[in-house]
Every structure is written in structure tokens, then in C-alpha cells.
Amino acid sequence: MGQLEERYKAYREPQKFMALGVYPYFRAITSKQGTEVEMDGHKVLMFGSNAYTGLTGDQRVLDAAKAAIDKYGSGCAGSRFLNGTLDLHIQLEKELAEFIHKEETLCFSTGFSVNSGVIPAVVGRGDYIICDDRDHASIVDGRRLSFATQLHYKHNDMEDLERVLQKLPQEAIKLIVVDGVFSMEGDLCKLPEIIELKHKYNCSVMVDEAHGLGVFGKQGRGVCDHFGLTDEVDLIMGTFSKSLASIGGFIAGASDTINYLRHSCRTYIFSASDTPAATAAAREALHIIQEEPERIEKLWEVTRYALQRFREEGFEIGETESPIIPLYVRDYEKTFRVTKLAFDGGAFINSVVPPACAPQDTLVRFALMATHTKEQVERGVQILKKIFVDLDIIK
């Protein structure tokens, strides 16, 4: 037996929950993503998706992806730095820059690789990274890869952020990195206060708009636009895998910064470029959300209904202000049981346990799409209410 096999043979935590019949991960879907999906031979309501605009099955997006495969092939067989740049990539970057209202953007193969590559590229020895306690794992990994001094502040606690900043040299590069929408809890960062502190302590700010794009702001431009602070944010990151119905990500900023990243960011230079199909799908989705403002209006209509109904039924949903609705369970095993019983009852939701949250904050995550109906939401609420009452989570 080799060293690694010897080390990990005792890792049996997942198997314990498999034996109980409540293991909630890697469940196979056998249909397109939508408000209902096929699993294990029957349909269930999908409340576990990040496809906020509901475009993953839109025929216009599918047709754009198919046309790109016919024209460019299935892949680019290289990095953007070398042979992997298509005119399609350049077109998308230009359109994203115009949409976000930044000088330039740079597209990556995944959203994770944006944060894990950009952060260590822009700050290094002698600099400082300051992160919210609940920032996404890709931000955490990005700061770990940097040689900068790493600091953090309590979630959305501006007094704690100021306490951290007060101790740092005024002339040093200080990058505050924060989620626009926190992906598990659904609350927003306190961007106006962060920008005030940026000016007071001579900092730079990077905002992760993964869950804000297509949801907040004019035409879905994100949380920075929602607060009217796009010009004040130095770097804006976004993904294609949620509202843009594809896979990939981007960073937007000043031309000089993007030029530097284009020639120094390792996850950009040394990764194969995004596929033609994925790029074309994201571009078409970007066009649709700009042309159909009623899509985002519908998302907010169904979101407001769901928030009201969960509160009326006595669920603990925290400080969410978005289509991400956390239903707190606060018990590791019960969290998995809720997910299993919900699936048996016809609703797909996601379990959230450490390291995605604190041990005392386990929850199930109920997420909405523009294509959900109030009737579907009501069915989901009733399925979950019975489970939460039966498990003595709510009265």
C-alpha cells in the first residue's frame, strides 16, 4: 500500500451518510437544467441551481453554442496566450466591458480561476489582502497563493474592517476583496461603507459579482451598479456559469491593469481557453438579459413571493436580500435528512455544511430562477414546511 493510500484509507465520513441513505452530493440529472429536472426516473422541482436568469435551456443559447461548434470546433487546443484566442473571445470581452462599464475585460475558463489567479497576480510581498470571513473559496485560495500579508474581518462588520485597516501603512497596496452577494447566505456586501473606507485608508477594492450578475443593477449589471459604485470599484469579477448559462469567468478593470494581467496571470496564461460553445452561449445569454428586462423583473417577483412565504411559515432565513434563500437547520445530520426528504417529496435543494459554512450555521439552500412560477415556489414551501416541522426545526 502506497503512502497516500495509507493516509486516506481511514477517510470514511461520506460513507457514514451513504449508509444512512442521506448522502446529498453528486446526484445525477438526466435532463436539461430547468425549473424541473429528471432524476432517478422522475421529475423534481429544481431549487438548487444558480441559473438565476433561467437561460440554460433557452433555445437561442443552445443554437448559439451549436453554431460555434460548427464554425470553430469543439475546443481551442491551447491557451489564450498562444493559439487559443478566437475572434469570439475578443467580441465577448469587448461586450462585457461595455456592459459592466469598465475599460476592458479578460475572460477565463472558469470563475474559480479568475479569483485564484488574479488575486496573487495583483498583490504580492509588501502588500495586503483583506477579505470578508465569508468570501467564496476561490477568493480564499487566491489569497493563499499570494505572497501578500493576508488579513480578514468579521462578516459584513465595517467596524472590524476599519480596525484592520487602521493598522496598515497608508502608502502600502491594500486590496479589499469581497463577494457582492454571499453565495450561501444570500446577503449583500456593504459596498457603500467599504468604498468610504477605501478612500479613508487609501485602498483598492475587488468585488466578486458571481451571484450579482444578471440579478442586481440595471439590466443585471450587478451589485456594483445596484449601489451606483461601479466607477469606485477597481476590479469586478464575474462568472458565466450562473446567469450567463455557460462556464467561464471574467475580470473587468482599467486597461493598464488588464494589460498586466493578460501577460502575468498564471491561471489565464497556462489554462486552455474557454470552448467556442461556452463562449458563444455566454455571449448570447448576455444579449438576452439586456434585451429582456422583464426576465429580471420576473426573477424578483418570484423571489419576493418566496421570501414572504418562508417568513410567514416561520423559517429562519437570515439576512438574505437575493434569490438565494438559506433555510437554517443548525444540525449537521438533520441538514442531510432535509435534503433527502425534500428529494423524496419532489424538490431538489442543496445541503450546506462545513467548510461552506460555520458548524453552527448548517442550512439548506433554496435558489430561484426567473422561470420559476409562484405555484412551483408554493409547492416547494409546503414540501419543506412539513419536513422542518416533522424534524422539529420549526414549529
Side-chain angles (χ1 to χ4, degrees), residues 270-306:
F270 296 105
S271 290
S273 57
D274 216 1
T275 66
T279 307
R283 185 169 177 242
E284 181 62 25
L286 181 64
H287 296 167
I288 293 170
I289 65 172
Q290 292 177 85
E291 294 162 2
E292 298 180 359
E294 65 274 12
R295 184 172 292 271
I296 297 174
E297 291 168 11
K298 177 65 167 58
L299 172 63
W300 279 104
E301 181 183 339
V302 75
T303 295
R304 285 190 290 268
Y305 178 78

Side-chain angles (χ1 to χ4, degrees), residues 32-37 44-47 49 56 369 371-372:
K32 292 178 186 175
Q33 286 277 345
T35 59
E36 292 187 69
V37 297
V44 295
L45 291 166
M46 171 52 75
F47 294 113
S49 174
T56 50
M369 294 179 261
T371 42
H372 276 121

Side-chain angles (χ1 to χ4, degrees), residues 22-96:
V22 296
Y23 182 72
Y25 305 120
F26 304 104
R27 294 172 284 176
I29 297 170
T30 56
S31 66
K32 292 178 186 175
Q33 286 277 345
T35 59
E36 292 187 69
V37 297
E38 290 183 9
M39 301 179 72
D40 292 348
H42 66 281
K43 286 189 176 181
V44 295
L45 291 166
M46 171 52 75
F47 294 113
S49 174
N50 293 321
Y52 305 115
T53 53
L55 288 170
T56 50
D58 189 283
Q59 195 59 50
R60 293 165 292 181
V61 175
L62 304 183
D63 288 344
K66 292 172 185 175
I69 288 177
D70 289 339
K71 181 175 181 179
Y72 299 100
S74 60
C76 297
S79 72
R80 289 287 304 277
F81 200 64
L82 299 174
N83 64 299
T85 291
L86 304 175
D87 57 352
L88 196 60
H89 294 124
I90 296 169
Q91 291 163 7
L92 178 57
E93 288 174 339
K94 183 176 184 297
E95 291 177 15
L96 279 168

